[in-house]
Amino acid sequence: MAVRTMAEFVAAGEQPEYLFWVGCAGSYDARAKKVTIAFTKLLQEAGMSFAILGNEESCTGDAARRAGNEFLFQMSALQNIEVLNGYEVQKIVTACPHCFNTLKNEYPALGGDYEVIHHTQLIDQLISEGKIRIGKGMESKKLTIHDSCYLGRVNGEYIAPRSVIDHLQADVEEMAASRSRGLCCGAGGAQMFKEDEPGDQRVNSARIDQILETGASVVAANCPFCITMLMDGLKAKEKQDEVMVLDISELIVQSNDL
Amino acid sequence: MAISQIIFILISLVVFSLAFVQFGFVIRNIRLGRPEKIVGHTGWRWKNVLLVAFGQKKMFKRWIPAIFHFFIYTAFLLTQIELIEILIDGAGGYHRFFADKMGGFYTFLINFIEILSVLAFVATVIFLWRRNVLKVPRFFNAEMKGWPQLDGNLILIGELLLIIGIFSMNGADVLLQQIDPANYPDTGTLAISSWLGPSLFEGLDSNFLHIIERGGWWLHIMVVFGFLTYLPHSKHLHIFFAFPNVYFTRRRSRGEMENMPEIMNEVKSMMGLVEDTGAEMGEDIPQFGAKDVFDLSWKTLLESYTCTECGRCTSVCPANTTGKKLSPRKVMMDIRDRLDEVGKNLKSGKPEFVSQDSTGAKLSAQNYDDGKSLFDYISSEELYACTTCNACVESCPVLINPLEPILAMRRYDILTNSAGPGDWLPMFNSVENSGSVWQMPDERAAWTKELDTD
């Protein structure tokens, strides 16, 4: 099923319920694209009316802003706000906690006011409305949960991912450092785009040690940058065949074999 | 008027004037910060003060130190009542001014203070043990060497002396009440001193008891006075500043970096979104972000004096725990130390601190230049190790936000200094030229073609 853009909706005289903000990682990163596709399948299965901006979308500016480059952030953000306001967008859903945070908390001061939700929140809602089926594919698998900083500690959402995971009937083993005590993957604050400062260990490696302690074979993540960092960390310890890192949307898709 | 009264009043006057000058110095320093409007929502603010400052809600994330800290804290609050009596007695030449006026309630109050003081004594010994024997790692990061370590121990030793003073005074008093009831009004049975006093001092003659009683009294008040003038130089200032610091917490979401309207308006006018106001940025690029304490909000400066160096932030910082140089606690301590330095230099009025283009003018915060800045204290390596994960913000029991100054200094380094990690340049260029953090040949919506083939 094709995904329609905002421009196509407008041309047809329609307005979608949600704008799906794909983000840079979701659009270009090979691994994150799989999450984008999994989430799209869920939206389609649930019969949601949604559009993407397509080539009219550009970086929210989160990394530029946290790197200290306010000019670049303002240019990106104001351009996006022009587009979003032009389409009279009201509700935005995104699979990236960094886009989620910037759209939700930083765009209002620049003139962009939207109702922004993270895809784990929408998936949770659609499951409770009976619009998304849960299969048995993840049943009794040993699973642990990695909270992204920008969904968890920054925006206080620890419940939605866990509520979705509850439906999978997996064998959930939380890490000692979870929820508000969760350890960062090491990507935030634009670290994703630079080498680490000198130290004893990479942050993702420290997180992988905590993950391995649980004995889980699946890590449920909710951020494309966390997924990259955790997968890199597993590869560095040659554990990539023993532990899978999956987004919440992928867990649902795989449970159903969609 | 007795000679002891005169001595007491003189010492009190000296201590209060000293404290007034020193607290004035700290408050003037805080006012050197950039103005930031933090107003309104008083209901929410008082709720925070009740829960977080008085209620110590965030301390209880680590309940073992929280319980012991709670003992010391409640003992401190309650002992203030006794302190009022000590001040009245000292200046007026009375002995236990409130004892016969309050009767049974006085006995209740003193008992309450005694029990809390014992708990606080135990807690203080445990804290000394945690610092010096158990060596809890967060008290041993690089920034804790020297003065901060000594400071922590001095405070704890001071607390022990306060409590020893109280019990010497009360213990001897219990015995003196029996010997000389005319001068030592009945305090009723005291939970600790009615037992501790006789078991330590039984059989001593009344002159000696009197010396112990007075010695305890003077020890207690002198340590209190010592604290009062010591606090403005110590991490222990949190006992006062935690309250205003929590009250003035920013309401901004944790996820929102402070907007920079001057840049926003400039970009808006570049993009033709607003009419050109003519107020364009001139040829000289103005300074953005924080280079020195003057560029940080007064709230951040208040936070730097509020920090009690507990190190919860550093112990959860992903950069620090993986061996990077960044320590959020050190950032706050560095801001305070730099602010102290600037404050002292300003106070000196020396013309050598007047910036070159204002030579001849009187030294002021506006023309201040000592050739140094926060960057002499906090290195780029520290600033660029931060993942903005907010663990430090989450962990602080008194709502200090170490992330705010870190990001403000990044802004200075990138926008004004045009420095920063070279690795970021491809990302900056890519965002600017192709609207994505990576330079990609594909169209942004190319993934949709993979939807059906997947």
Side-chain angles (χ1 to χ4, degrees):
Chain A
M1 213 186 319
V3 175
R4 295 163 72 193
T5 60
M6 267 326 269
E8 286 163 354
F9 266 89
V10 169
E14 296 170 62
Q15 183 77 8
E17 185 184 358
Y18 278 101
L19 172 76
F20 171 22
W21 186 276
V22 184
C24 300
S27 301
Y28 291 121
D29 178 81
R31 178 67 188 82
K33 272 199 280 189
K34 292 190 175 149
V35 176
T36 307
I37 287 165
F39 180 54
T40 304
K41 283 181 177 172
L42 293 180
L43 287 174
Q44 291 178 336
E45 192 210 344
M48 298 298 288
S49 150
F50 72 98
I52 58 170
L53 281 177
N55 298 329
E56 286 184 284
E57 182 187 285
S58 68
C59 177
T60 57
D62 158 79
R65 187 172 229 197
R66 274 150 192 82
N69 196 334
E70 186 72 5
F71 268 103
L72 192 52
F73 165 74
Q74 294 284 349
M75 290 194 321
S76 276
L78 289 167
Q79 189 189 330
N80 281 325
I81 290 168
E82 276 292 286
V83 173
L84 291 167
N85 289 355
Y87 284 123
E88 294 174 14
V89 168
Q90 279 164 15
K91 286 160 111 180
I92 302 178
V93 62
T94 176
C96 172
H98 293 268
C99 296
F100 167 72
N101 179 67
T102 295
L103 291 165
K104 180 174 189 273
N105 295 320
E106 299 196 314
Y107 279 20
L110 279 65
D113 266 299
Y114 320 102
E115 187 189 325
V116 187
I117 64 169
H118 187 247
H119 77 316
T120 53
Q121 297 170 321
L122 183 59
I123 291 171
D124 184 34
Q125 185 192 319
L126 293 174
I127 291 173
S128 60
E129 287 169 3
K131 291 180 179 164
I132 292 179
R133 286 171 299 126
I134 310 278
K136 294 190 179 296
M138 287 290 151
E139 228 174 74
S140 34
K141 280 210 171 142
K142 187 110 184 212
L143 179 151
T144 193
I145 301 166
H146 171 79
D147 292 285
S148 63
C149 301
Y150 275 76
L151 185 64
R153 222 168 0 243
V154 174
N155 284 290
E157 179 63 274
Y158 304 107
I159 305 294
R162 285 173 176 77
S163 165
V164 174
I165 286 165
D166 271 351
H167 294 284
L168 297 169
Q169 292 181 306
D171 173 13
V172 177
E173 175 86 25
E174 291 267 10
M175 283 177 267
S178 72
R179 297 183 189 237
S180 68
R181 295 166 192 256
L183 179 64
C184 178
C185 72
Q191 295 293 335
M192 182 77 190
F193 308 100
K194 65 186 266 296
E195 288 299 319
D196 287 7
E197 299 304 319
D200 310 329
Q201 196 186 11
R202 300 198 66 196
V203 178
N204 57 353
S205 161
R207 188 54 163 169
I208 293 300
D209 289 341
Q210 297 178 349
I211 287 169
L212 293 176
E213 264 175 43
T214 64
S217 59
V218 179
V219 185
N222 55 48
C223 168
F225 299 105
C226 293
I227 293 176
T228 302
M229 281 296 188
L230 296 180
M231 288 182 61
D232 284 354
L234 283 168
K235 259 179 235 152
K237 290 184 196 284
E238 296 183 349
K239 297 279 181 191
Q240 71 272 30
D241 298 327
E242 289 160 47
V243 185
M244 282 194 299
V245 185
L246 293 171
D247 182 77
I248 298 285
S249 61
E250 294 177 305
L251 288 170
I252 305 293
V253 169
Q254 292 202 6
S255 84
N256 280 321
D257 203 20
L258 273 180
Chain B
M1 193 180 270
I3 182 89
S4 64
Q5 269 172 276
I6 295 169
I7 293 173
F8 180 82
I9 291 169
L10 282 177
I11 294 177
S12 305
L13 286 176
V14 170
V15 165
F16 286 126
S17 341
L18 265 176
F20 185 80
V21 169
Q22 287 168 322
F23 277 92
F25 174 73
V26 168
I27 288 162
R28 255 197 315 282
N29 285 352
I30 292 168
R31 293 170 62 104
L32 290 174
R34 190 170 52 78
E36 179 183 351
K37 232 175 147 183
I38 303 181
V39 289
H41 306 278
T42 37
W44 176 81
R45 294 186 185 287
W46 281 112
K47 196 180 135 204
N48 281 340
V49 170
L50 281 178
L51 285 176
V52 180
F54 278 105
Q56 314 212 329
K57 186 178 150 196
K58 299 207 81 178
M59 281 292 286
F60 281 87
K61 272 205 145 191
R62 298 188 188 187
W63 66 272
I64 295 176
I67 286 172
F68 294 124
H69 182 268
F70 193 76
F71 291 159
I72 297 178
Y73 157 78
T74 40
F76 164 77
L77 280 188
L78 259 288
T79 314
Q80 302 318 307
I81 302 170
E82 187 153 350
L83 191 61
I84 296 170
E85 188 183 46
I86 289 178
L87 291 175
I88 294 173
D89 285 356
Y94 306 104
H95 183 74
R96 296 198 178 258
F97 182 75
F98 291 126
D100 35 6
K101 293 184 180 58
M102 288 183 175
F105 185 64
Y106 186 81
T107 308
F108 170 77
L109 267 183
I110 300 294
N111 268 313
F112 213 79
I113 291 170
E114 286 217 331
I115 290 164
L116 282 169
S117 297
V118 168
L119 292 174
F121 192 88
V122 173
T124 309
V125 171
I126 288 173
F127 279 171
L128 278 166
W129 176 69
R130 278 167 61 88
R131 270 177 191 264
N132 299 294
V133 183
L134 202 62
K135 294 191 189 287
V136 172
R138 65 185 156 95
F139 299 125
F140 288 88
N141 299 76
E143 67 269 20
M144 295 306 286
K145 291 207 171 69
W147 167 243
Q149 196 186 4
L150 180 64
D151 186 19
N153 281 324
L154 284 177
I155 294 289
L156 291 170
I157 291 165
E159 275 161 12
L160 290 182
L161 291 177
L162 281 176
I163 299 167
I164 290 169
I166 286 268
F167 284 119
S168 314
M169 164 180 129
N170 286 1
D173 202 280
V174 166
L175 292 169
L176 286 164
Q177 285 170 35
Q178 293 159 10
I179 300 168
D180 182 9
N183 288 314
Y184 293 89
D186 186 18
T187 56
T189 308
L190 300 180
I192 309 297
S193 296
S194 290
W195 154 79
L196 187 69
S199 55
L200 286 178
F201 312 132
E202 186 83 82
L204 296 178
D205 78 272
S206 67
N207 283 332
F208 204 56
L209 284 173
H210 180 75
I211 291 171
I212 295 172
E213 197 278 333
R214 282 296 87 190
W217 188 90
W218 279 99
L219 175 67
H220 186 83
I221 190 66
M222 284 303 118
V223 177
V224 169
F225 281 172
F227 262 122
L228 206 54
T229 54
Y230 178 76
L231 283 178
H233 309 282
S234 165
K235 62 131 192 159
H236 210 53
L237 200 46
H238 81 292
I239 63 170
F240 295 133
F241 282 12
F243 299 91
N245 192 60
V246 167
Y247 182 86
F248 287 112
T249 302
R250 298 179 179 95
R251 276 183 60 84
R252 199 166 2 110
S253 151
R254 258 186 208 173
E256 185 189 0
M257 272 177 73
E258 189 183 19
N259 195 28
M260 298 179 79
E262 65 279 28
I263 294 184
M264 179 177 75
N265 294 333
E266 175 75 10
V267 173
K268 275 186 176 173
S269 106
M270 264 164 45
M271 289 169 69
L273 297 175
V274 286
E275 276 199 37
D276 210 328
T277 52
E280 262 182 56
M281 288 176 187
E283 284 297 301
D284 335 316
I285 298 167
Q287 187 196 302
F288 297 114
K291 179 190 184 188
D292 210 343
V293 286
F294 305 103
D295 311 316
L296 293 170
S297 158
W298 65 271
K299 175 63 169 77
T300 301
L301 302 185
L302 171 63
E303 290 177 356
S304 77
Y305 277 117
T306 304
C307 174
T308 195
E309 302 170 7
C310 75
R312 282 167 173 72
C313 52
T314 295
S315 73
V316 295
C317 172
N320 189 277
T321 53
T322 57
K324 279 90 179 172
K325 233 179 119 189
L326 173 65
S327 159
R329 168 175 56 190
K330 176 180 174 288
V331 170
M332 298 315 298
M333 290 166 72
D334 284 342
I335 292 169
R336 180 201 58 205
D337 292 350
R338 169 65 182 158
L339 183 53
D340 251 1
E341 178 184 50
V342 170
K344 277 181 191 135
N345 290 343
L346 277 172
K347 206 174 159 189
S348 78
K350 286 184 186 155
E352 62 186 276
F353 300 122
V354 176
S355 69
Q356 278 194 331
D357 28 313
S358 305
T359 310
K362 192 172 173 288
L363 179 64
S364 72
Q366 284 69 42
N367 63 29
Y368 181 83
D369 183 8
D370 62 359
K372 286 163 80 178
S373 74
L374 273 175
F375 283 84
D376 292 291
Y377 288 73
I378 303 167
S379 65
S380 300
E381 183 182 329
E382 291 162 72
L383 299 175
Y384 291 117
C386 176
T387 69
T388 72
C389 77
N390 275 268
C392 55
V393 180
E394 171 77 32
S395 71
C396 183
V398 291
L399 308 185
I400 292 170
N401 183 338
L403 187 52
E404 185 88 13
I406 292 173
L407 293 176
M409 288 182 72
R410 275 191 184 181
R411 278 175 165 168
Y412 173 82
D413 209 30
I414 295 278
L415 296 170
T416 308
N417 228 6
S418 303
D423 288 347
W424 276 344
L425 290 178
M427 184 264 285
F428 289 160
N429 287 333
S430 182
V431 171
E432 188 172 348
N433 300 323
S434 65
S436 160
V437 287
W438 300 289
Q439 197 84 47
M440 290 302 216
D442 295 341
E443 290 200 323
R444 203 164 172 99
W447 63 271
T448 54
K449 296 186 191 95
E450 294 170 40
L451 189 59
D452 299 317
T453 57
D454 185 61

